[in-house]
Amino acid sequence: MSTGTDPLAPLAQLPGVPDAVAEVRKAVDRLYGHRVMRRRAAEVTSEAALRGARASAALAGADWPLEEVRRRSDFSADEESRTVGAALRIAAEAGQLLSIWRHSPLQVLARLHLLAVGDADPAAGRPRRAGEGVEDLFPLELKPVESVEMEAAPAGPAVEPPPAPGAEEVAARLDQLSRLLIARAEGQGVGTPALVVAAVVHGELLALRPFGSYNGVIARAAQRIVLIAEGLDPKSICPAEVGFAELGTDTYRRALAGYLAGTPDGLAAWIGHCGRALRLGVRESTAVCEAMQRGMV
C-alpha cells in the first residue's frame, strides 16, 4: 500500500487538519529544543507520565490533585484510588511496549487492560464478550480550565456516546485497526501525519469500548504510544491527557461525537481537538522544563 492508498490519507487533507498538524509539529519541536532536554530528558519524561496519568484518571472520574497522586502509595482503597492506580501503571509501562505494538497492537491493548484491572479479574486482558456490560466513558464532568487560551473548541450541546457496539463488531473493527497499524509499522502509508493516526486510534477505541472497564484510560494511552511509534514524540514528553482534561469533558464528548458521526466536519473537529490537547500537553511540559531550569524542580 502506498501513501496514495493509505485509508487515513484523506483525513490529513480535511479542512483545518493541515494547520493543526503544522501547529502541533512546531510546538513539539520547540519543546524538544529546550535546553533542559539535553541533560534531563528522562526526568521530563517521568514527570510527563505522572501528569498525563493524573489527567487521564480525572477524565475517568478520579480527579485528584497532582501532589496527592505523587505522594500516594496505596491505590486499592476505593474505586477512585483504583482508577488512579490503573492510570499510573499504564503510564509507567506504555512506553516500554513499543516493539510489541509494531507487530501486535491488540496484544498491547490487552496488556494495558491487564495492568489496569489486575490479573485477579477474570475479564482482564480480553475484549468483552456478548452480553457483558461496559463502563460509562464520562463518569465525571470536568469544566474547561478558564486559563486555556486557544481557538474555540467544537461548539454545541453536550452529547452522550451511543451504546457500545456488540462483541462481534468490536472484534472485526479491532482487527481492521490492528492491520492498519501493522501496515504502517512495515512502512506502508507512512505519509499520513502522526497526529491523524493517533487521533483515529484514540477515537476508534473510545467508539468501540472493547473492554468492560478503563476504556478511556486505555484509549488515551494508545494515542500516546502511537505518537511515540510515529516519531512525533519519541521521548513521550507531551502529555495530551493534560490537554484533554484542561479542555473539559463536555468538549471531549462533543469532539468524540464528531468522530462517531464520521462526517468530514466531525472527523476534522476530532483531529483538531486532539491537536489542541497535545499542544496543551506541550505547554505543560514546557512549564516543567522552565521550572527545572530555574532550579525549582
Side-chain angles (χ1 to χ4, degrees):
M1 169 169 45
S2 67
T3 300
T5 59
D6 180 359
L8 301 185
L11 301 182
Q13 303 306 318
L14 291 173
V17 171
D19 288 342
V21 167
E23 289 163 0
V24 162
R25 177 81 265 179
K26 182 178 179 181
V28 171
D29 286 349
R30 187 181 301 116
L31 173 58
Y32 270 80
H34 197 287
R35 61 190 306 173
V36 166
M37 289 296 296
R38 300 172 192 168
R39 291 182 296 177
R40 303 182 67 179
E43 293 174 68
V44 179
T45 295
S46 179
E47 189 65 19
L50 178 70
R51 292 172 183 239
R54 188 221 72 83
S56 193
L59 288 162
D63 189 11
W64 287 14
L66 179 63
E67 292 311 312
E68 177 73 4
V69 177
R70 197 188 299 278
R71 73 172 185 83
R72 280 286 191 103
S73 57
D74 179 12
F75 296 98
S76 60
D78 51 38
E79 187 57 37
E80 281 198 6
S81 298
R82 288 190 288 273
T83 297
V84 175
L88 286 169
R89 290 190 296 274
I90 285 175
E93 191 163 322
Q96 303 171 31
L97 299 172
L98 188 59
S99 61
I100 303 173
W101 178 266
R102 295 185 189 281
H103 64 81
S104 184
L106 299 188
Q107 185 178 343
V108 170
L109 294 177
R111 174 61 181 167
L112 295 180
H113 189 247
L114 179 61
L115 286 169
V117 303
D119 55 14
D121 189 326
R126 65 160 176 81
R128 54 189 169 81
R129 295 168 181 163
E132 291 183 338
V134 62
E135 65 177 354
D136 180 5
L137 272 179
F138 302 106
L140 178 72
E141 182 175 311
L142 292 177
K143 297 297 184 183
V145 176
E146 293 183 1
S147 63
V148 171
E149 296 178 0
M150 285 197 173
E151 62 272 27
V159 294
E160 292 297 331
E168 289 188 7
E169 181 180 348
V170 168
R173 288 171 62 177
L174 279 178
D175 181 68
Q176 184 179 29
L177 182 65
S178 177
R179 290 175 183 272
L180 184 149
L181 292 169
I182 292 170
R184 290 188 63 79
E186 293 173 348
Q188 304 173 40
V190 294
T192 302
L195 173 63
V196 174
V197 182
V200 168
V201 170
H202 184 174
E204 191 68 4
L205 291 174
L206 290 180
L208 295 179
R209 283 159 276 174
F211 302 103
S213 58
Y214 297 108
N215 289 293
V217 175
I218 290 169
R220 291 182 286 274
Q223 170 171 312
R224 176 175 285 221
I225 293 172
V226 171
L227 294 173
I228 299 170
E230 295 281 330
L232 179 61
D233 183 20
K235 296 184 184 297
S236 194
I237 59 172
C238 307
E241 303 95 328
V242 170
F244 289 117
E246 285 199 32
L247 291 167
T249 307
D250 281 353
T251 306
Y252 196 19
R253 188 186 288 116
R254 289 195 300 268
L256 177 61
Y259 178 85
L260 296 175
T263 63
D265 286 347
L267 292 168
W270 171 250
I271 296 168
H273 182 64
C274 290
R276 282 188 290 274
L278 186 54
R279 286 159 53 204
L280 285 169
V282 167
R283 189 175 74 176
E284 182 83 358
S285 285
T286 300
V288 169
C289 288
E290 293 294 327
M292 287 181 175
Q293 185 169 300
R294 292 192 300 269
M296 297 174 63
V297 177

